[in-house]
């Protein structure tokens, strides 16, 4: 009898054990409260082709009073702050002013002869020759027949004129008419010199004389206010509020070769960039240029996401490019969790960390998802880590 009881007890114990094992196996599939999932480490890679617009860090020099430009710097050359980029002639420049200056100098020389009559003054003749030589050099530069420095030529001509005047004052008596002629000569030279100015680089950079009209709308100052519609407009070749504003008086631009940006608009359901993510970037048609780019701004609106990237590498010939199709590659390392564990509270995606009964909602960024598992990044560092348990509600 006792033996039968022991066998029965063993049988029920064995059956209970079997039932417990079966329960543990099927428990995740039973609708009994919230299920749990374990957070794990994961790495994923992706590659996408997307339309991009390029935003340069550049300064545009423009003027509405310039009638003619003489370029001193070469296109696509590196200039330093203070270097002369171009010589500018103001509106109203006229060849007749040079003629008037020469006429005044001829009147001065003729009056010298009248004052001195038959006296030969070799020193004055020499000073006159120097003025004539400096005036010829000045005229050649103004007319573009010489590549000398305009301002140096002006200073040399002014010095020659002053030396001649001083000689006359020291060796001949004062003469009101001669003084008036000297003043007229100085005034005409100053008038001509004021019409040609040097445009110097305000900062270090690569100089370019080609503008596409978007410079006023697409610069570093627009990064924070750029919208998805702006990006779509540029990709379509349309005009932004200030498009072409620089072309009317644009002379040249100085481009920071080593820091630039690009922006992308995409379907938020298909792509989810996160600030500080690093991508590999290559523009179609520029296979010789490959860069790493960091996400610096993300804005989601409706089903669209706008992402702005910063590149801290030389852009080379991309200083002439405004848009194109780019390949973006990224390797993502983060935390992996079952996609079913993702929840949404007040429009924010997150997971329920099982640290207290019912769990604590922790906001996360979804870096990638294949529908079964998602690679996530907690918005608060350290709030979730590998091994953490989350609830599937």
């Amino acid at each position: 009898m006792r033996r039968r009881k022991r066998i029965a007890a063993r049988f029920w114990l064995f059956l209970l054990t079997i039932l417990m094992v079966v329960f543990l196996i099927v428990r995740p599939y039973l609708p009994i409260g919230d299920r749990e999932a374990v957070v794990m480490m994961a790495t994923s890679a992706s590659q996408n082709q997307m339309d991009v617009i390029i935003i340069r860090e550049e300064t545009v020099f423009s003027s509405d009073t310039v009638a003619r430009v003489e370029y001193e710097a070469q296109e696509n050359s590196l200039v330093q702050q203070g270097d002369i980029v171009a010589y500018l002639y103001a509106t109203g420049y006229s060849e007749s002013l040079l003629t008037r200056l020469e006429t005044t100098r001829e009147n001065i020389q003729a009056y010298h002869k009248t004052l001195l009559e038959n006296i030969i003054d070799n020193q004055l003749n020499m000073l006159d020759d120097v003025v004539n030589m400096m005036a010829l050099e000045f005229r050649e530069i103004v007319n573009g027949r010489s590549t000398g420095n305009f301002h140096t030529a002006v200073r040399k001509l002014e010095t020659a004129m002053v030396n001649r005047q001083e000689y006359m004052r020291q060796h001949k008596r004062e003469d009101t008419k001669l003084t008036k002629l000297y003043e007229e000569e100085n005034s005409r030279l100053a008038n001509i010199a004021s019409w040609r100015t040097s445009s110097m680089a305000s900062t270090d950079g690569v100089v370019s004389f080609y503008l596409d009209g978007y410079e006023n709308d697409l610069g570093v100052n627009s990064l924070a206010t750029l919208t998805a519609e702006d990006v779509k407009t540029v990709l379509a070749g349309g005009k932004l509020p200030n498009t072409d504003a620089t072309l009317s008086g644009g002379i040249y631009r100085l481009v920071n070769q080593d820091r630039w940006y690009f922006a992308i608009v995409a379907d938020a359901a298909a792509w989810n960039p996160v600030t500080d993510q690093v991508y590999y970037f290559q523009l179609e048609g520029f296979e010789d240029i490959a860069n790493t780019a960091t996400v610096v701004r993300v804005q989601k609106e409706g089903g669209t996401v706008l992402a702005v990237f910063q590149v801290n590498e030389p852009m080379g010939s991309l200083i002439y490019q405004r848009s194109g199709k780019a390949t973006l590659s990224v390797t993502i390392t983060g935390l992996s969790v079952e996609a079913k564990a993702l929840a949404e509270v007040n429009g924010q995606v997150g997971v329920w960390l099982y640290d207290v009964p019912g769990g604590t909602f922790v906001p996360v960024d979804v870096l990638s998802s294949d529908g079964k598992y998602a690679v996530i990044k907690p918005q608060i560092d350290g709030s979730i880590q590998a091994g953490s348990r989350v609830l599937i509600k």
Side-chain angles (χ1 to χ4, degrees), residues 238-351:
K239 291 187 176 183
L240 296 175
N242 295 312
T243 300
D244 296 331
T246 56
L247 292 181
S248 59
I251 307 298
Y252 61 86
R253 58 192 172 103
L254 291 173
V255 185
N256 183 348
Q257 174 79 357
D258 299 319
R259 184 169 61 242
W260 49 285
Y261 306 83
F262 63 88
I264 295 175
V265 172
D267 182 356
W271 186 50
N272 188 34
V274 177
T275 303
D276 296 329
Q277 264 186 330
V278 177
Y279 282 74
Y280 178 84
F281 169 86
Q282 192 165 47
L283 195 68
E284 189 176 279
F286 296 84
E287 283 71 19
D288 58 328
I289 302 175
N291 305 101
T292 55
T294 304
V295 181
V296 293
R297 180 188 168 210
V298 175
Q299 179 179 326
K300 296 180 181 178
E301 185 174 345
T304 300
V305 58
L306 163 69
V308 178
F309 295 75
Q310 178 175 321
V311 183
N312 294 323
E313 297 173 3
M315 68 187 309
S317 54
L318 291 181
I319 68 168
Y320 302 111
Q321 194 74 12
R322 183 58 76 182
S323 62
K325 188 173 290 293
T327 299
L328 268 75
S329 307
V330 64
T331 299
I332 301 170
T333 299
L335 300 173
S336 176
V337 70
E338 288 184 48
K340 292 180 180 179
L342 297 176
E344 187 171 321
V345 176
N346 297 326
Q348 172 63 60
V349 176
V351 294

Side-chain angles (χ1 to χ4, degrees), residues 191-205:
N191 199 6
I192 295 174
S194 68
W195 283 350
R196 173 168 158 158
T197 58
S198 298
S199 181
M200 294 180 288
S202 58
T203 183
D204 297 352

Side-chain angles (χ1 to χ4, degrees), residues 18-155:
I18 294 297
L19 291 174
M20 286 294 294
V21 171
V22 172
F23 176 75
L24 292 174
I25 292 174
V26 301
R27 183 190 173 194
Y29 304 97
L30 296 176
I32 305 174
D34 298 328
R35 289 203 303 113
E36 298 176 24
V38 178
V39 178
M40 300 175 290
M41 291 297 299
T43 299
S44 67
S46 66
Q47 186 178 86
N48 297 286
Q49 272 202 328
M50 300 182 177
D51 293 321
V52 307
I53 66 168
I54 293 176
I55 302 167
R56 296 181 288 265
E57 187 173 310
E58 59 191 355
T59 302
V60 176
F61 178 84
S62 59
S63 174
D64 293 325
T65 60
V66 174
R68 192 176 64 151
V69 181
E70 289 180 6
Y71 299 112
E72 179 71 11
Q74 297 295 315
E75 170 69 25
N76 201 26
S77 63
L78 181 65
V79 296
Q80 295 181 332
Q81 184 176 7
D83 287 350
I84 295 177
V85 177
Y87 293 109
L88 312 176
Y89 287 86
T91 304
Y93 169 75
S94 171
E95 179 74 17
S96 63
L97 283 187
L98 280 175
T99 303
R100 292 171 191 164
L101 176 62
E102 291 183 356
T103 299
T104 300
R105 290 193 297 101
E106 291 171 357
N107 291 338
I108 290 173
Q109 292 173 354
Y111 195 61
H112 283 169
K113 295 178 180 178
T114 300
L115 289 176
L116 300 176
E117 294 181 349
N118 296 324
I119 301 175
I120 298 176
D121 191 325
N122 292 327
Q123 179 66 20
L124 181 58
N125 290 337
M126 184 190 73
L127 292 172
D128 274 337
D129 290 340
V130 173
V131 171
N132 290 336
M133 184 172 62
M134 295 299 102
L136 178 61
E137 179 182 343
F138 173 75
R139 183 187 179 95
E140 292 292 302
I141 293 174
V142 169
N143 288 330
R145 292 192 292 264
S146 173
T147 58
N149 187 289
F150 175 81
H151 296 287
T152 299
V154 170
R155 288 194 297 269

